[in-house]
Amino acid sequence: MSINATVPAKQRFTASAPDSSDSNSNIRWFVCALLFAATTINYMDRSVFSLIEPLLHRLPFMGWDFALDPHHQTLFDNNYGNVIICFQIAYGVGFLFAGRVIDRLGTRVGYACAIAIWAFSSMSHAFVISVLGFCIARVMLGLGESGNFPAAIKATTEWFPSEERALATGIFNSGSSVSFFIAPVLVAFVTGKWGWQAAFITTGSMGLCWLVVWLLFPYNRLRRGSTQTQANIAADFASHGSSGATIPYSVLLRRPGLYAFALGKGLTDPIWWFYLFYLPQFLNRNYGLDLAHSKWEIVTVYVISTVGSVFGGGLSGWLMNRGYSVNSGRKFALLLCALLVVPIVFVPHVGGLFPSNAWPATLLIALAAAAHQGWSANLFSTPTDMFPSTAISTVVGIGGAVGALGGATFTWIVKHYFSLHPLLIFALAASAYLISLAIFQLLVPRLGVNARDPAEPSPA
């Protein structure tokens, strides 16, 4: 991870292309706010199912047996896990198509289509009367929500310079954390007043409100020109198509950076899925806390993870502005976040030491969740250092698909072993990030330097 202090950081990788407009520079933060709002709604929609998990015990078709203790609900756990897996598989399959579609349609239209699909799919949960119905609703939700990150990362590439992208990503990605200190309170309120169906109607309606604002914003007219980094990367890929054309899969699949990013997502996304879907259940079964009594523990986890998202995302840019290369800045931030996840392995032990106090375990999970969000902000920024903007959504989509596949696989492991073997699950979570970073380093020793395919001709 080398440091290059001989050339000012701004000149090395952040200079705007000639068509950039300083008068519109601050509008990028409004775009970031829109991305943040969309991500918050996205995660609120997907989290409702886990937040109402205790209420699902009352639905006969879910299979809860009140004669058994909470740790031996085989039928319910299987049904609940299968519904989650349906979402994750659909989410992953959707990524394969969503990224490419957004690269072709553009960010404005592609994002609008995605949120319209997921908003209506979220509301459809309210009309479900069977496990199959939940599975179908979750499949449609997964297909729609798969468009969020490919569109959002593409937007940061179009609006932000290199050293601000991880910070912008950290800010909008913090919506995935913010949603969880809004959602528990909101869901507890609306379900207490109108039943579990109201939770899905409420969050789905919020997506439609966002859609109106997004369509009214003149996105394409006000967006900035490409940064020098993106201009250089685009020139490197120029032989594969005309300016602005999407890059063929055959070219992308020859780049090691694609595999580094995808494997990073595949190994670490499942850990966030685990927090998302199983934290309420963990607090309920291990400490006897229902949603009304665990909301502050859940809020704490996601408040702290929000801080981790913003500061972890800003760390790499802070280092770049002080002379570090893109490679050094990104990878140092990734390493620090990977190390901060490790203490989560002690969660089962503190449960034994403090069987009636959920806060020690909650704080360890909160630290790991914060580190994950900082990791995610930097990992999401790496495609923008390796690929042109016309391929960003496709690359993020492929990575997201691998992440969803990893999430489905890990959920299968969790649903079979978490209740009786929690140490196994937390040990896997603690080690995933360091393993991922080691693989990334092997595949991309110098981030920000284009690894040219041997079959490609050198530029004249």
Side-chain angles (χ1 to χ4, degrees), residues 166-167 310-320 329 332-334 336-337 378:
L167 175 60
V310 176
F311 280 90
L315 176 61
S316 59
W318 183 84
L319 291 170
M320 291 178 206
F332 180 85
L334 288 169
L336 179 61
C337 292
N378 284 281

Side-chain angles (χ1 to χ4, degrees), residues 65-105:
D65 189 342
F66 288 95
L68 300 175
D69 68 82
H71 296 283
H72 294 85
Q73 296 289 340
T74 305
L75 180 58
F76 177 88
D77 288 346
N78 189 62
N79 287 335
Y80 182 79
N82 287 340
V83 173
I84 292 173
I85 289 172
C86 282
F87 172 84
Q88 291 172 322
I89 292 174
Y91 190 63
V93 172
F95 263 123
L96 293 175
F97 299 99
R100 201 61 168 177
V101 169
I102 290 167
D103 273 334
R104 290 184 180 277
L105 295 180

Side-chain angles (χ1 to χ4, degrees), residues 16 28 43 47 120 143 187 195 204 247 257 261 302 311 313 395 427 442:
S16 296
R28 69 189 187 279
Y43 273 83
S47 70
F120 285 114
L143 292 175
V187 170
I247 308 299
F261 174 72
Y302 293 109
F311 280 90
V395 172
L442 286 172

Side-chain angles (χ1 to χ4, degrees), residues 39-53 55 122 174-192 196 198-200 202-204 206 276 280 291-292 294-296 298-300 302-303 306:
T39 304
T40 301
I41 296 167
N42 182 286
Y43 273 83
M44 288 179 68
D45 281 329
R46 76 176 70 177
S47 70
V48 170
F49 191 73
S50 66
L51 291 173
I52 66 167
E53 191 265 353
L55 300 179
S122 177
S174 70
S176 62
S177 302
V178 170
S179 69
F180 294 111
F181 63 84
I182 297 175
V185 178
L186 178 63
V187 170
F189 173 76
V190 298
T191 56
W196 63 267
F200 293 105
T202 301
T203 57
M206 294 171 67
L276 171 62
L291 179 59
S294 65
K295 62 177 177 289
W296 294 118
I298 295 172
V299 164
T300 298
Y302 293 109
V303 167
T306 299

Side-chain angles (χ1 to χ4, degrees), residues 5 36 53 65 77 92-93 130 139 143 154-155 169 240 255 259 276 285 297 325 378 389 393 438-439:
F36 167 82
E53 191 265 353
D65 189 342
D77 288 346
V93 172
S130 66
V139 165
L143 292 175
K154 187 178 181 71
T169 301
H240 303 291
R255 298 282 172 141
Y259 299 97
L276 171 62
R285 297 192 182 185
E297 284 83 358
S325 65
N378 284 281
S389 62
S393 290
I439 294 172

Side-chain angles (χ1 to χ4, degrees), residues 282-283 286-287 289 297 350 354-363 365:
F282 172 78
L283 294 171
N286 289 274
Y287 298 98
L289 302 176
E297 284 83 358
V350 299
F354 306 97
S356 60
N357 184 358
W359 282 106
T362 297
L363 293 175
I365 294 171

